[in-house]
Amino acid sequence: GAVVSQHPSRVICKSGTSVKIECRSLDFQATTMFWYRQFPKQSLMLMATSNEGSKATYEQGVEKDKFLINHASLTLSTLTVTSAHPEDSSFYICSALTDSLGDQPQHFGDGTRLSIL
Amino acid sequence: QQQVKQSPQSLIVQKGGISIINCAYENTAFDYFPWYQQFPGKGPALLIAIRPDVSEKKEGRFTISFNKSAKQFSLHIMDSQPGDSATYFCASQERNTGFQKLVFGTGTRLLVSP
């Protein structure tokens, strides 16, 4: 159980294109979803936290107008990289949490490799 | 104070040996300490986690040792296998305050040689 699916797994597009990445919790309802960015051989960097039905909370230094997050339902959150440029190329990973308190861990998706030409 | 320091950066262990990865934290409000395993091109997967009310937790070949006074915790992989070759991240979290952000360590690339 507790499967998180990300789509697409890989995307290659031209500079200036907007790219949408989906994160779905397949067998549970996710009250909170997180979006991370990971550069090669580096750790995961939290970009933002999203709660269903409310605005996302962005980490310091992350442009909210550049990285649009929508958490419209308890099973789906989307990250849109607007007007993507080569420096936005990275591995984007989402995770989902079943409840705010208690011992349930974050469940991670398999990531989306974004390459901007 | 939100940092989690992880060492070593990389580790080579022979098959059958013990792999040991260490982490240290500063924030005494952290109360949940998971370890994640990540294979290339995949997302992290929870391996094992511990709360600060116990000093050790064992699941199969994986053991977490926790030293609350030193603010350190470590992952031990017994009888390491080539299939264990991956990047391992420790993390810390303030669960009791409802603060759900995971603070990740810098990662350790483990290579288990056949």
Side-chain angles (χ1 to χ4, degrees), chain B residues 26-78:
Chain B
E26 296 176 355
N27 185 353
T28 54
F30 287 145
D31 57 5
Y32 178 70
F33 303 90
W35 284 89
Y36 286 87
Q37 179 189 56
Q38 185 180 31
F39 292 104
K42 297 292 185 181
L46 178 67
L47 202 56
I48 187 172
I50 198 168
R51 287 272 200 173
D53 52 347
V54 296
S55 60
E56 186 175 283
K57 184 174 181 179
K58 183 176 181 179
E59 289 183 3
R61 296 186 294 111
F62 302 94
T63 300
I64 299 179
S65 296
F66 185 81
N67 186 329
K68 188 174 180 178
S69 60
K71 292 186 282 186
Q72 296 175 347
F73 58 109
S74 61
L75 174 70
H76 296 233
I77 305 174
M78 313 301 253

Side-chain angles (χ1 to χ4, degrees), chain A residues 2 18 20-21 23 28 30 32 37 43-44 88-89 92 105-106 114 116:
Chain A
S18 291
K20 180 185 282 188
I21 302 169
C23 178
F28 66 98
T32 306
R37 184 172 181 175
S43 189
L44 286 79
D88 298 322
S89 298
Y92 292 87
Q106 287 187 28
L114 175 63
I116 308 297

